[in-house]
């Protein structure tokens, strides 16, 4: 073994164990209150020593495995014997607990022991393990962070640290591949072809888990935005959700309000398939501006100014939330080492219009205009819903009474449930309205909005947070993820869009929800204290030219937005990418044939194209085979290739190569194609075309 | 001269009038202006006004501004501290009071507030230091003696508590607060006589002063004392008195615990639910979780106890004789029991196909790991709690905790068990039964467990009897199989919900018959008789069926019986097909009679099974324990909801059961949604039988 390869092997060995220790350490972080890091680390090094010892002894796999399985238990026996002796010598209670403390660390450490031993043992015995090791490491990485897939990284103080560590992990993995002497660049590249999709799939798998967790724990309304979360701009009706009690933000309010609903999005677009979604009609800013902004005030009647301050803890910092409707937004400068991602102040004009005022409104069509009216009363032509709405509002003459009747009907006759169940026909809303009669807030909001729309009342769905007035201390309110909510806004002309909350407060049997039960005074108090201590540092952020750091951040945000977009449609992008690759690789010789004028080259491209087609079916030229031998072998299997092969060789070696020969080559290619089609049916040909194996191999 | 005198006289009168006017108007002037703007008094008044108007932002701003302007002033820290304290922000309050203290404020109020805030933050040792300091500085503070006594109790310094309270009684005379705390301390010292004496004194004084609320608390404490000393009837009496005096959550909890120890599930549940509606602490949830766990409603138990685990508001502990470590230790034990039970449960539930089997096994392993994790945590916390007890020289509790921590290590466990036994049996001889039970558990001795069983009160101590039985069953193998069956039967009689979570199934005589529809066997209704005379059709044999039974029906019957037997065995039950009277004495006391109903429509065997009537008959008592119609009213798609959980909600009435069934139904939905393969496989014969067995198990082991 050369010095260089020896050095490589040592580096590889170190890299491998560095990666394994990284994984082990992260797994340990999740149970750090339970395990002792010194013990776990000792087990780690013990496993390495055992594998080295076995490698030195050149133990075969089965005996090695048997020894590795038994060895920890033998060690345990030894330790227990030592403890027993110690107990005999000393009579303190401390000695009595040695067994217990040992076992507390011992059993959870078994799994890392076996993994570290196995990886090292196999890698030391067989270099071919290297690329597979990378795959296993990736799987382990996903498994270790599986518990973190709750749209929040809790193992590290900031997601960026986590991201950096994962990048380092990937760099180390790639270094292993590059250092591996058995892996030449070509084989590394060909292996990447398998590896990259695998990593992408794993990534999306994890991402899907994040999304699932986010949607479920965000009351069916949330979506992840790379380790923070935000509301989705379209909402579906889920068959089951759960609620996370993660703290999202702190909120301080001054001014009157009947109820506090913090609006994130207005969703007025509707289609039966997509549900409610955001459109151009739901204009207005949705991100916190960089400098103070005064928004257009439609001047609705009976509204008062309410000041709000938002302190984001775990929410997309660019998201703008405010009570209906904001007229001014002032971004605030955050203090150093703040616990908050973003602070801003908003002023909203909040409606205090009561029954008397709202009852005076009658004609929405005139107030909105024909096209907007049509838009806001689109209910997807669902006659069952319209029938129900008419039934519920029977005998109600005024516009306001009808809205109230629908709201009361839903609040009074339906139950709140996180498990509305699955509709047999796929129509979750019908299932809710006519069968199960239970659902979570989105069901109620969907139902009310559509019922209103179906009888000509313009309505839209809003999503955001409801604020629990009980979770208040010194005018601060805490908002948790389980307060994500959907409600309805109904158009009342000069009074604007008025909020109605049809969600029932009666729990369905079997539901055990305690909204606000997670109100954690102590941690809340710490955040309030931080705000109070830094209150004087709070100042309005004025717009200025972004500096280099900000520009870098903006660029980063842009890249992330791009990735997010790709991520959102990965099921299209991934196959699309694959097909594009296949097209380029498989049709390259056909394209070259058309591009080039030289008949020698064109003959060569014809032959190469045929070889690529055959490679798709696994028919490739062996290294010890000549082209003629290969063509004869293939011809023996029913595919005509000899004629084309002869013309190809002629084009390469003959001094003269004329048009007649070229025409013969074309005929030969046609013959080859015909015989290929005869031999393989359409699906096999398609499979062959899509098969990436051997595509990049030099065929001729 | 006269003119001059006159002028002087006039001037003097004017001056006098002016002076009088000034004097007269001065108070009015002062009242109008108040303290000068931005003076310390002005800040105080403005801040108080803002607090009253709930303008906290302005109030805090004013106080902070004032503090900056008058750094030596104490009142702003006290004002802000009080504001935080009123809002339960004890950490912030403590900081403000401490600032005042640093500025030289050693008033009774400030020191007392610091001590209380520390107590609320569970920093009991520091709280004690302040209380001691208050007594040194203000020796006439009656309340502080009581507070210190209570804090000594909370930190297990019982002797210290006794000393300080006896000193207080000597100094200030008896009062109900002293009597109550002293009663609690004596209870902790296992001094039954003195504890009862002081509790009764506290009650007497409270009743005299018509302080019913206080009397209720004292009665509650007295009931706990009686319960600790195994005087269950007295405990119930005092609990009822406690509730009569004031309808508080603890009274219902104590009453529920008594019902629980006699395994009266419904009464215990109703008391706990009543307590939950009144409770401001998580104790009702803890009790509910324990109840659900003991009676086999494990998912509910986990739900409730995790809710408690994740609750971070621990200020309620200030008034309860517990601390963080004891609280978490109890939580971890419930979680360990629940997850270990779930692991057994998932292993036993029937599966219709290999995918369900894999899923069940995966869940079983997952729950076993979680069970192991929480058991390990419980053990570590037991050691910590034990060490805390040892520090306070509470040897009995310390040894007990050390024993619980080391149950797996026989030598160590027995050492501490015997140490605890030697102390407790002297105080309460009846506790010997419990120690025998524990010894039997550690030594895996059937004889000891049996002996303990015979010593328990057959009414009030059913709960511990279950523990002895469930430890005995795995030890009874081979030659003891009849005894084993009998032990399981007894366990079943005591608590149906206990079996599956410990990995046992009820030994059964199985009778399968076919009735209804074309080609059916006769005698289908006969199984309903309590004697079960027609239920012994057994495999492929139905009374009166004879030659009329078509070959297909006969085949379905044979196949059903075989599958039912196999699945019930898989669910932990020993099963014999048919069975005779002699089998009853062999421990097969219960007969499961299943009358399958076939539909008329031709088709696959799976399509032909239209439903079933199932009865469980107690052959000793000669009565039908329950009857089940499958599918239930709300379960028209039998067999499609693969596995155990399909359609069990029809029989759910109480809150607990309906919660359970809702979870099951949703699980069914999720499974159906997620498992594409299941959708292909559902509707198979095996899936239908698995569904039936699931329903039977739901019914058979449901405590409702």
């Amino acid at each position: 073994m050369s010095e260089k390869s020896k050095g490589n092997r040592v580096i590889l060995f170190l890299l491998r164990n560095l990666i394994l220790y990284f994984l082990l350490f992260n797994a340990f972080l999740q149970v750090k209150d339970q395990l002792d890091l010194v013990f776990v680390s000792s087990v780690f090094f013990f496993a390495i020593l055992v594998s080295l010892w076995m490698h030195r002894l050149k133990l075969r796999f089965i005996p090695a495995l048997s020894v590795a399985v038994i060895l920890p238990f033998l060690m345990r026996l030894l330790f227990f014997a030592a403890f027993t002796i110690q107990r005999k010598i000393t009579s303190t209670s401390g000695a009595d607990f040695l067994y217990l403390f040992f076992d507390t660390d011992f059993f959870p450490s078994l799994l890392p022991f076996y993994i570290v031993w196995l990886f090292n043992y196999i890698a030391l015995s067989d270099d071919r393990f290297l690329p597979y090791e990378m795959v296993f490491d990736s799987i382990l990485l996903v498994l270790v962070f599986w518990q973190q897939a709750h749209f929040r990284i809790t193992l590290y103080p900031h997601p960026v640290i986590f991201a950096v560590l994962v990048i380092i992990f990937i760099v180390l993995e790639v270094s292993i591949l590059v250092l591996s002497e058995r892996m030449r660049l070509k084989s590394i590249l060909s292996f990447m072809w398998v590896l990259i999709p695998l990593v992408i799939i794993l990534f999306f798998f994890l991402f899907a888990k994040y999304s699932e967790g986010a949607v479920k724990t965000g009351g069916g309304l949330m979506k992840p935005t790379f380790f923070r979360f935000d509301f989705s701009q379209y909402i579906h009706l889920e068959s089951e959700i759960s609620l996370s009690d993660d703290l999202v933000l702190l909120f301080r309010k001054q001014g009157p309000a009947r109820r506090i609903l913090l609006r994130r999005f207005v969703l007025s677009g509707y289609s039966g398939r997509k549900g409610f979604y955001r459109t151009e009609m739901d204009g207005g800013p949705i991100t916190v501006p960089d400098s103070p902004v005064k928004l257009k005030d439609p001047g609705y009647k009976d509204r008062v100014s309410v000041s709000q301050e938002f302190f984001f803890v775990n929410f997309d910092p660019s998201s703008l939330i405010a009570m209906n409707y904001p007229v001014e937004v002032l971004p605030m400068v955050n203090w150093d080492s703040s616990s908050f991602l973003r602070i801003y102040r908003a002023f909203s004009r909040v409606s205090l219009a009561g029954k008397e005022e709202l009852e005076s409104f009658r004609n929405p069509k005139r107030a909105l205009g024909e096209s907007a009216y049509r838009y806001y009363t689109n209910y997807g032509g669902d006659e069952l819903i319209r029938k129900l709405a008419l039934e519920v509002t029977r005998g109600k003459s005024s516009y306001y009474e009808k809205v109230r009747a629908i709201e009361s009907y839903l609040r009074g006759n339906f139950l709140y449930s996180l498990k509305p169940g699955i509709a047999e026909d796929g129509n979750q809303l019908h299932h809710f309205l006519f069968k199960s009669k239970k659902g979570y807030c989105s069901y109620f909001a969907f139902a009310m909005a559509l019922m209103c729309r179906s009888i000509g009342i313009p309505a839209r769905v809003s999503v955001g947070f409801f604020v629990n007035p009980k979770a208040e201390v010194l005018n601060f309110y805490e908002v948790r993820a389980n307060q994500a909510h959907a409600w309805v806004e109904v158009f009342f002309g000069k009074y604007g869009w008025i909020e109605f909350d049809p969600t029932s407060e009666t729990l369905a049997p079997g539901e055990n929800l305690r909204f606000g039960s997670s109100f954690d005074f102590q941690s809340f108090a710490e955040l309030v204290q931080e705000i109070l201590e830094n209150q004087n540092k709070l100042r309005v952020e004025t717009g200025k030219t972004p500096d280099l750091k900000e520009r870098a951040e903006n660029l980063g945000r842009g890249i992330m937005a791009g990735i997010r977009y790709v991520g959102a449609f990965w099921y299209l992008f991934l196959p699309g990418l694959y097909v594009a690759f296949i097209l380029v690789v498989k049709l390259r010789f056909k394209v070259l044939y058309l591009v080039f004028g030289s008949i020698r080259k064109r003959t060569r491209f014809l032959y190469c194209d045929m070889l690529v087609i055959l490679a798709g079916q696994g028919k490739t030229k062996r290294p010890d085979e000549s082209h003629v031998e290969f063509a004869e072998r293939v011809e023996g299997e029913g595919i005509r290739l000899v004629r084309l092969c002869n013309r190809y060789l002629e084009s390469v070696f003959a001094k003269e190569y004329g048009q007649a020969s070229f025409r013969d080559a074309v005929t030969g290619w046609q013959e080859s194609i015909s015989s290929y089609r005869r031999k393989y049916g359409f699906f096999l040909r398609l499979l062959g075309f899509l098969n990436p194996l051997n595509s990049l191999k030099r065929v001729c | 001269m006269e003119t001059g005198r006159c002028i002087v006289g006039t001037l003097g009168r004017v001056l006098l009038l002016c002076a009088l006017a000034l004097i007269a108007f001065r108070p009015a002037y002062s009242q109008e202006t108040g303290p000068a703007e931005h003076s310390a008094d002005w800040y105080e008044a403005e801040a108080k006004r803002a607090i009253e108007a709930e303008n906290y932002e302005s109030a805090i701003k004013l106080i902070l501004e004032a503090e900056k302007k008058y750094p030596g002033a104490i009142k702003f820290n006290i004002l802000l501290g009080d504001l935080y304290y009123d809002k339960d922000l004890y950490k912030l309050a403590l900081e403000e009071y401490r600032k005042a203290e640093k500025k030289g404020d050693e008033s009774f109020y400030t020191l007392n507030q610091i001590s209380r805030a520390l107590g609320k933050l569970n920093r009991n040792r520091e709280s004690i230091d302040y209380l001691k300091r208050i007594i040194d500085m203000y020796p006439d503070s009656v309340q502080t003696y009581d507070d210190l006594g209570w804090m000594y109790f909370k930190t297990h310094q019982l002797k210290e508590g006794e000393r300080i309270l006896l000193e207080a009684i000597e100094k200030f005379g008896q009062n109900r607060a002293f009597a109550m705390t002293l009663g609690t301390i004596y209870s902790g010292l296992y001094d039954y006589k003195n504890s009862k004496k002081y509790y009764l004194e506290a009650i007497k004084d409270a009743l005299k002063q018509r302080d019913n609320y206080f009397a209720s608390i004292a009665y509650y404490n007295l009931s706990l004392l009686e319960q600790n000393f195994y005087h269950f009837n007295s405990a119930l009496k005092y609990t009822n008195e406690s509730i009569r005096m004031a309808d508080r959550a603890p009274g219902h909890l104590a009453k529920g615990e008594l019902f629980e120890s006699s395994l009266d599930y419904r009464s215990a549940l109703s008391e706990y639910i009543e307590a939950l509606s009144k409770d401001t602490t998580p104790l009702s949830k803890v009790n509910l979780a324990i109840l659900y766990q003991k009676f086999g409603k494990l998912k509910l138990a986990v739900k409730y106890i995790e809710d408690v685990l994740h609750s971070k508001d621990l200020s309620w502990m200030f008034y309860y004789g517990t601390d963080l470590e004891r609280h978490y230790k109890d939580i971890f034990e419930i979680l360990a029991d629940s997850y270990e039970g779930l692991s057994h449960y998932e292993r036993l539930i029937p599966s219709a196909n290999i995918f369900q089997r894999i899923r069940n096994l995966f869940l079983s392993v997952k729950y076993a790991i979680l069970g192991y994790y929480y058991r390990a945590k419980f053990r570590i916390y037991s050691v910590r709690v034990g060490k805390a007890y040892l520090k306070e020289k509470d040897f009995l509790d310390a040894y007990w905790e050390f024993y619980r921590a080391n149950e797996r290590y026989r030598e160590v466990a027995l050492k501490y068990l015997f140490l605890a036994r030697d102390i407790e049996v002297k105080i309460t001889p009846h506790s010997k039964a419990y120690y025998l039970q524990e010894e039997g558990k550690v030594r895996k001795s059937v004889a000891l467990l049996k002996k303990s069983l015979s010593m328990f009160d057959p009414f009030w101590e059913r709960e511990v009897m279950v523990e002895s039985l469930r430890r005995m069953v795995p030890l009874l193998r081979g030659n003891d199989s009849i005894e084993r069956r009998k032990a399981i039967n007894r366990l079943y009689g005591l608590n149906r919900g206990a079996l599956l979570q410990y990995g046992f199934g009820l030994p059964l005589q199985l009778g399968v018959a076919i009735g209804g529809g074309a080609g059916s066997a006769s005698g289908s209704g006969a199984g309903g008789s309590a004697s079960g005379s027609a239920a012994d059709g057994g495999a492929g044999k139905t009374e009166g069926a004879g030659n009329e039974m078509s070959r297909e029906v006969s085949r379905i019957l044979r196949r059903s019986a075989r599958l039912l037997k196999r699945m019930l065995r898989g669910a932990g039950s020993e099963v014999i097909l048919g069975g005779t009277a002699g089998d009853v004495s062999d421990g097969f006391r219960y007969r499961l009679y299943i009358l399958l109903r076939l539909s008329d429509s031709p088709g696959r065997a799976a399509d032909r099974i239209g439903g079933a009537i199932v009865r469980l008959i107690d052959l000793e008592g000669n009565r039908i324990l329950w009857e089940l119609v499958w599918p239930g009213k709300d379960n028209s798609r039998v067999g499609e909801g693969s596995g155990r959980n399909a359609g069990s909600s029809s029989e759910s009435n109480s809150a607990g059961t309906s919660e359970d069934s809702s979870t099951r139904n949703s699980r069914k939905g999720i499974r159906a949604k997620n498992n594409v393969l299941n959708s292909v496989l559902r509707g198979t014969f095996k899936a239908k039988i698995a569904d039936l067995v699931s329903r039977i198990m739901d019914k058979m082991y449901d405590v409702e």
Side-chain angles (χ1 to χ4, degrees), chain B residues 111-374:
Chain B
L111 296 181
N112 197 46
Q113 286 297 92
I114 293 177
S115 143
R116 290 180 68 187
L118 285 166
K120 295 270 189 186
L121 292 168
N122 278 304
R123 290 158 67 177
N124 297 330
R125 308 266 160 193
E126 291 168 76
S127 178
I128 285 174
D129 291 342
Y130 272 89
L131 289 169
K132 279 184 187 167
R133 202 168 133 197
I134 296 169
I135 287 178
D136 286 344
M137 291 172 73
Y138 306 95
D140 291 334
S141 159
V142 181
Q143 182 60 40
T144 311
Y145 278 89
D146 187 36
D147 289 346
L148 185 56
W150 177 246
M151 272 297 167
Y152 277 135
F153 171 75
K154 278 199 76 179
T155 52
H156 325 300
Q157 302 178 66
L158 302 176
K159 282 286 169 194
E160 280 297 303
E162 182 193 16
R163 184 189 59 74
I164 200 80
L165 286 166
L166 289 175
E167 187 187 315
I169 291 170
E170 201 176 306
K171 195 171 176 183
F172 304 106
Q174 182 64 283
N175 79 29
R176 58 180 180 278
F178 290 156
M180 177 99 103
T181 313
L182 208 46
T184 310
I185 284 174
Y186 280 124
S187 161
L189 286 166
Y190 293 91
D191 185 344
Y192 173 75
K193 211 173 136 190
N194 268 323
S195 179
K196 189 166 182 174
K197 177 188 148 194
Y198 280 103
Y199 279 143
L200 288 172
E201 269 182 33
I203 291 165
K204 198 175 154 191
D205 189 34
L207 292 176
K208 203 170 148 190
Q209 301 294 326
R210 293 189 177 173
D211 188 347
N212 283 2
Y213 192 83
F214 192 93
S216 164
I217 299 172
Y219 269 125
Y220 164 74
N221 286 346
L222 186 53
S223 82
L224 290 187
L225 176 77
E226 297 288 7
Q227 202 179 334
N228 285 344
F229 283 85
Y230 313 105
H231 306 149
F232 298 104
N233 289 315
S234 304
L236 186 61
K237 186 180 103 187
Y238 291 129
T239 308
N240 285 331
E241 280 302 307
S242 170
I243 295 170
R244 197 172 64 83
M245 289 290 144
D247 196 3
R248 299 159 51 248
H252 290 287
L253 288 180
K255 202 171 170 183
E257 279 168 18
L258 285 167
F259 287 131
E260 191 182 315
S261 61
S262 65
L263 292 179
D264 182 350
Y265 172 75
R266 280 172 193 275
S267 305
L269 182 67
S270 123
E271 291 299 329
Y272 290 155
I273 285 174
E274 188 67 35
L276 187 66
S277 66
K278 296 176 167 56
D279 210 351
T280 52
T281 75
L283 295 175
S284 315
K285 284 183 194 167
V286 173
N287 278 31
L288 268 169
I290 295 171
L291 183 78
Y292 284 136
Q293 183 269 315
K294 284 189 176 149
F295 286 89
K297 295 178 179 295
L298 302 172
K299 294 232 158 161
L300 272 176
V302 170
K303 205 172 185 178
Y304 273 92
I305 205 63
E306 284 200 332
D307 197 23
V308 178
L309 179 67
H310 296 134
S311 162
K312 288 172 189 162
D313 180 17
L314 301 164
S315 58
W316 59 272
M317 278 185 202
F318 183 71
Y319 300 108
Y320 288 81
T322 189
D323 57 30
L324 275 177
E325 286 184 335
R326 275 196 276 173
H327 177 59
Y328 284 128
K329 178 195 72 121
D330 293 340
I331 290 175
F332 294 143
E333 186 174 22
I334 301 164
L335 279 168
D337 288 341
S338 304
Y339 280 121
E340 284 164 5
L342 278 168
S343 172
H344 281 130
Y345 175 88
E346 289 294 342
R347 199 162 42 80
L348 295 179
I349 60 174
S351 44
N353 54 55
I354 184 73
F355 306 107
Q356 274 182 24
R357 186 77 273 179
I358 291 167
R359 186 187 170 280
N360 293 347
L361 282 174
F362 170 76
L363 283 176
S364 178
V365 171
K366 178 185 156 185
Y367 290 137
I369 291 170
L370 283 168
Y372 174 84
Y373 173 74
Y374 285 113

Side-chain angles (χ1 to χ4, degrees), chain B residues 536-597:
Chain B
D536 37 315
K541 205 174 129 193
T542 317
E543 189 179 306
N547 297 329
E548 294 162 31
M549 193 191 290
S550 71
R551 191 174 290 172
E552 191 203 354
V553 171
S554 167
R555 198 170 54 82
I556 290 174
L557 181 60
R558 264 203 308 277
R559 204 172 152 198
S560 308
R562 208 170 46 236
L563 258 178
L564 280 163
K565 185 180 169 188
R566 205 171 75 202
M567 283 189 180
L568 285 165
R569 277 188 173 167
S573 290
E574 269 191 86
V575 183
I576 49 166
L577 273 170
T580 61
D583 294 327
V584 178
S585 55
D586 283 347
F588 291 97
R589 176 182 165 170
Y590 296 96
R591 166 163 298 194
L592 188 72
Y593 174 74
I594 300 169
L595 181 70
L596 291 169
R597 188 161 44 81

Side-chain angles (χ1 to χ4, degrees), chain A residues 33-34 96 103 526 529, chain B residues 91 95 377 409 415-416:
Chain A
D33 59 329
Q34 186 91 345
D96 290 334
D103 272 356
E526 278 165 24
Q529 185 182 13
Chain B
K91 205 172 166 188
E95 275 178 31
K377 284 196 116 169
Y409 312 101
K415 173 185 164 184
Y416 288 108

Side-chain angles (χ1 to χ4, degrees), chain A residues 103-120:
Chain A
D103 272 356
T104 306
D105 290 317
F106 174 78
F107 287 105
S109 303
L110 278 177
L111 187 65
F113 172 83
Y114 291 130
I115 290 174
V116 174
W117 169 80
L118 192 70
F119 275 46
N120 275 291

